[in-house]
Amino acid sequence: MKILAIETSCDDTGIAILEVSEKTEEFSVLSNIVSSQIEVHKKYGGVYPAMAKREHQRNLVPVLIRALKQAKLLNPKSEIRNPKQIPKSKIQKLNSILERESELAKKLVPFLQKHKKPKIDLIAVTNGPGLEPCLWVGVNFAKALSYFWNIPIVPTNHIESHILVNFLPTRPGLVGFPAVCLVVSGGHTQLILMEKIGNYKILGETRDDAAGECFDKCAKILGLGYPGGPIISQLATKFLGCPTPQKLPRPMINTKNYDFSFSGLKTAVLYANRKVENKTKRYKQEIASEIQQAIIDVLIKKTMKAAKDFKAKTIILGGGVTANKELRKQLTEKIEREIPNARYLIPNTQLSTDNALMVAVAGYFKAEQNKFMRWQDIEANANLRVE
Ligand code: KG4
Ligand code: ZN
């Protein structure tokens, strides 16, 4: 079975093709293309939904072509069909599905007229949570493909995809449940109890900013650029583990629940930064190290609390912030020291940040559970929650 997956929930346009062996259920990645919009959003220090939507509309067809070519699924020239063979009503229907995505339609309709259906068995698309206009571009694109090629479709939850990407190299049968999952990204910070694939309960989440958002906003305050996570973690390397003169708060670190709050940390950075006149390189390195450690301390404390309270057999990490080397290292050490019998799964760093391969993996498990939907019924939902 070959799965074509689409991810457009924020500022990355991703398309991946995953093959799943019918016999062994083994996964092989045929392609995984991510077109990042960092260059577009960098000058504003954050993502503007309208601009991100426009970029997705521009990028989706070129990214699809690259993904199909890499997977050797784009039909050779000899197979190019005569556009006149396609009934007018079918093109009309296609245009009506893409009514709100006119820039995308201009590229997708000619592409579909020109190329024969590739050997794809399932389409998976992120329908939430995320930025609503961005989600809709991906969803309408997926609906158009599902309709035109007559391929079944499953909608997938972005948070669940960040969790399930860990099952690309590791069979779920080898993992003990319950698992406690920490999903930390630019838009979300959640601790989730997972009883099995497809069964989740949100234990706690951020009451204001997400951890990745905190990295991004602190970087903006310090004039460091976007996205803040990788820049701050790079700067922080110089003073890792050293006490720094800038002491920042660890909001909610000792509360009895599993919730987070990061906006106070950002405000503390704002005030601390105002007091410093000469913002030397050393100052920036020191404060970067303290920001990173403050975020890591809270994430680790709450994750370990949840893992112990719920007697987790496995701890699963996902989301862009888990690309952070120190978080990976410190959490790993803590788990090995304090709950040595627990397993932990962390995606490799390229799969921590947004990509469509995670959507393909989630799509596979959804299909296994028969969670197909008629393309007509699929809607984007910016506030979709795992359940
Ligand atoms: O999962 P993701 O790619 O997109 C969302 O779903 O939001 O996460 C992006 C977030 C950004 O806030 C970015 O600053 C953060 O992940 N990030 C990092 C690192 N790499 C990306 N944060 C800390 N350290 C990193 N190395
Ligand atoms: Zn994400």
Side-chain angles (χ1 to χ4, degrees):
M1 163 159 85
K2 291 195 181 75
I3 305 170
L4 174 80
I6 300 150
E7 161 61 44
T8 64
S9 68
C10 190
D11 62 338
D12 290 302
T13 313
I15 296 196
I17 302 172
L18 177 72
E19 181 164 19
V20 188
S21 147
E22 313 273 305
K23 272 195 201 141
T24 61
E25 294 194 346
E26 247 165 67
F27 292 137
S28 7
V29 180
L30 302 187
S31 57
N32 180 26
I33 312 285
V34 180
S35 164
S36 158
Q37 302 177 7
I38 286 178
E39 286 306 316
V40 178
H41 300 290
K42 205 155 82 172
K43 39 186 180 291
Y44 308 100
V47 180
Y48 277 85
M51 226 180 284
K53 172 186 161 114
R54 190 191 64 195
E55 289 300 307
H56 288 308
Q57 295 207 32
R58 284 186 184 158
N59 295 340
L60 272 168
V61 174
V63 171
L64 173 69
I65 292 170
R66 279 175 64 197
L68 287 171
K69 273 194 182 153
Q70 211 176 83
K72 301 199 169 33
L73 289 172
L74 198 63
N75 292 300
K77 279 204 175 88
S78 59
E79 284 185 296
I80 290 177
R81 61 162 140 197
N82 178 359
K84 290 195 185 109
Q85 290 169 346
I86 305 167
K88 259 198 188 134
S89 60
K90 205 165 172 188
I91 300 297
Q92 272 166 1
K93 182 82 190 166
L94 198 55
N95 276 309
S96 85
I97 298 170
L98 297 169
E99 203 178 354
R100 286 156 62 188
E101 325 293 347
S102 56
E103 285 301 307
L104 173 63
K106 275 187 215 154
K107 290 187 180 224
L108 185 58
V109 177
F111 170 82
L112 291 175
Q113 284 177 312
K114 201 167 152 200
H115 296 276
K116 280 194 175 170
K117 173 180 171 176
K119 290 195 168 61
I120 297 285
D121 308 287
L122 175 70
I123 294 172
V125 62
T126 304
N127 72 325
L131 303 171
E132 182 116 4
C134 299
L135 289 164
W136 269 115
V137 186
V139 165
N140 285 329
F141 176 74
K143 286 178 171 208
L145 296 182
S146 170
Y147 161 72
F148 198 80
W149 287 335
N150 195 20
I151 297 174
I153 183 167
V154 282
T156 57
N157 179 308
H158 184 76
I159 301 289
E160 189 178 8
S161 300
H162 272 307
I163 296 173
L164 295 183
V165 74
N166 286 287
F167 294 101
L168 186 69
T170 310
R171 298 277 86 198
L174 299 174
V175 172
F177 291 101
V180 159
C181 313
L182 172 71
V183 179
V184 260
S185 70
H188 297 88
T189 299
Q190 290 184 335
L191 269 169
I192 297 167
L193 183 67
M194 177 181 184
E195 292 293 349
K196 59 176 186 186
I197 287 183
N199 182 331
Y200 311 92
K201 183 176 169 233
I202 298 174
L203 299 174
E205 62 195 312
T206 184
R207 296 183 178 178
D208 39 57
D209 293 350
E213 192 178 356
C214 185
F215 272 113
D216 296 338
K217 287 181 174 170
C218 290
K220 195 172 176 180
I221 291 168
L222 299 170
L224 297 174
Y226 174 84
I231 300 172
I232 288 183
S233 76
Q234 183 57 35
L235 265 179
T237 48
K238 187 93 184 164
F239 290 100
L240 279 184
C242 306
T244 57
Q246 289 84 20
K247 269 282 148 239
L248 293 171
R250 271 79 174 144
M252 293 186 72
I253 194 163
N254 289 320
T255 56
K256 290 205 164 60
N257 52 33
Y258 310 100
D259 283 347
F260 302 88
S261 164
F262 290 104
S263 79
L265 176 55
K266 166 198 68 193
T267 311
V269 170
L270 183 71
Y271 289 135
N273 196 50
R274 274 191 195 153
K275 284 194 202 135
V276 179
E277 263 185 32
N278 188 11
K279 299 181 175 63
T280 59
K281 189 168 180 200
R282 186 189 170 104
Y283 158 75
K284 289 188 180 172
Q285 288 169 333
E286 283 173 351
I287 197 157
S289 159
E290 176 66 4
I291 293 166
Q292 173 174 272
Q293 196 56 50
I295 296 174
I296 291 177
D297 283 348
V298 180
L299 293 176
I300 291 186
K301 182 84 189 264
K302 295 269 168 157
T303 306
M304 293 302 290
K305 175 172 161 55
K308 287 175 187 170
D309 289 354
F310 289 90
K311 301 192 172 41
K313 294 207 172 86
T314 307
I315 295 159
I316 299 180
L317 262 61
V321 178
T322 66
N324 187 283
K325 272 198 205 135
E326 271 307 295
L327 172 65
R328 299 165 82 94
K329 181 170 160 259
Q330 294 182 27
L331 185 56
T332 302
E333 284 169 3
K334 190 94 174 161
I335 297 169
E336 286 174 356
R337 205 168 43 239
E338 293 186 13
I339 28 178
N341 294 330
R343 249 191 107 151
Y344 52 89
L345 306 176
I346 312 181
N348 76 37
T349 43
Q350 294 94 316
L351 297 178
S352 289
T353 47
D354 287 352
N355 63 85
L357 192 53
M358 65 187 201
V359 180
V361 176
Y364 169 71
F365 290 114
K366 291 259 154 175
E368 225 186 13
Q369 294 158 3
N370 249 321
K371 291 190 174 153
F372 298 97
M373 269 176 88
R374 283 175 2 121
W375 64 262
Q376 293 90 331
D377 298 333
I378 298 177
E379 295 201 338
N381 176 357
N383 302 313
L384 191 68
R385 291 170 77 76
V386 288
E387 51 188 5

